[in-house]
């Protein structure tokens, strides 16, 4: 069953799914996934700034763990349920969970980008979620390093590299959407992620 990421009504995690989470990860994990579901239902129809703030805060409480330690893989993109239930993840998991939460709240894909950046302070590759109110607007940055939501122009510690979502891949820049480089999901990690999300069957039961 495919997942409809267009209204909060579509995000209800079924009892069957919660039971599966409990069986694999334990009771606390199941309760944490239910809290995510409750948050999305609570935020339905609220102001975009409230939605961005509460989604950002919810996921930034998660623990940072490298993929190799957490999943025994060099690179693994967890679904939001896997991220919450397993109790942690890396920067990609934080950003992906925020992206799909905002999509579930009805924010169009063309306003959201998963953005690869270089975190200059740490001299490392990093991922954040960028929200564009308008195509040529300076995006707001949702990040697990700096937990405050700030315009990209205020994040001199981040150097944009490229951005993507399910609709394409773009050359990243601080202001505006940048030049589109290709259509569709940008790599096999994205395809594997969305395939696993479809198999989770959030709405079944």
């Amino acid at each position: 069953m495919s997942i409809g990421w267009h209204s909060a009504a579509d995000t209800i995690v079924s009892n069957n799914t919660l039971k599966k989470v409990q069986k694999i990860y334990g009771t606390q994990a199941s309760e944490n996934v239910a809290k995510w579901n409750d948050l999305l239902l609570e935020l339905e129809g609220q102001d975009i700034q409230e939605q961005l703030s509460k989604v950002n805060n919810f996921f930034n409480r998660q623990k940072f763990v490298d993929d190799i330690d957490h999943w025994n893989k060099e690179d693994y993109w967890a679904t939001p349920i896997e991220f919450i239930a397993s109790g942690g993840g890396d920067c990609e998991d934080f950003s992906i969970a925020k992206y799909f939460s905002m999509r579930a709240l009805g924010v169009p894909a063309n306003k959201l980008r998963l953005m690869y950046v270089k975190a200059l302070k740490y001299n490392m590759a990093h991922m954040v979620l960028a929200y564009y109110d308008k195509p040529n607007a300076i995006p707001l940055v949702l990040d697990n390093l700096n937990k405050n939501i700030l315009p990209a122009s205020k994040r001199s510690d981040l150097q944009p590299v490229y951005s993507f979502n399910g609709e394409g891949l773009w050359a990243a820049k601080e202001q505006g959407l940048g030049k589109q480089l290709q259509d569709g999901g940008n790599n096999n990690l994205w395809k594997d992620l969305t395939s696993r999300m479809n198999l989770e069957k959030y709405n079944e039961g």
Side-chain angles (χ1 to χ4, degrees), residues 32-152:
N32 290 341
V33 171
K35 288 177 183 177
W36 172 57
N37 179 73
D38 292 343
L39 174 69
L40 295 180
L41 293 176
E42 172 197 329
L43 290 175
E44 184 177 16
Q46 291 196 21
D47 176 82
I48 185 64
Q49 298 297 332
E50 183 78 0
Q51 292 175 338
L52 289 168
S53 177
K54 288 193 173 179
V55 165
N56 193 54
N57 289 339
F58 178 86
F59 286 108
N60 281 347
R61 292 197 294 266
Q62 294 285 91
K63 180 176 154 186
F64 180 90
V65 191
D66 286 321
D67 284 339
I68 194 66
D69 298 321
H70 203 50
W71 301 107
N72 199 31
K73 294 183 178 182
E74 288 294 334
D75 205 1
Y76 182 81
W77 290 5
T79 70
I81 283 182
E82 289 174 331
F83 178 44
I84 297 166
S86 67
D90 65 4
C91 61
E92 287 125 340
D93 301 324
F94 281 88
S95 302
I96 288 165
K98 294 171 188 179
Y99 171 83
F100 281 110
S101 294
M102 296 310 300
R103 291 287 288 118
L105 291 169
V107 177
N110 61 15
K111 290 192 171 189
L112 297 166
R113 297 282 180 77
L114 292 157
M115 184 175 288
Y116 269 112
V117 299
K118 182 176 182 181
L120 300 177
K121 180 179 178 181
Y122 301 98
N123 191 32
M124 68 179 188
H126 183 51
M127 185 186 281
V128 299
L129 176 64
Y131 168 77
Y132 296 81
D133 183 50
K134 297 178 182 177
N136 291 320
I138 296 174
L140 295 175
V141 176
L142 284 68
D143 185 12
N144 65 293
L145 291 179
N146 184 334
K147 301 186 189 305
N148 297 314
I149 298 177
L150 296 171

Side-chain angles (χ1 to χ4, degrees), residues 120 151-159 174:
L120 300 177
S153 57
K154 301 290 186 183
R155 293 300 306 274
S156 59
D157 58 315
L158 302 180
Q159 179 181 317
E174 182 180 277

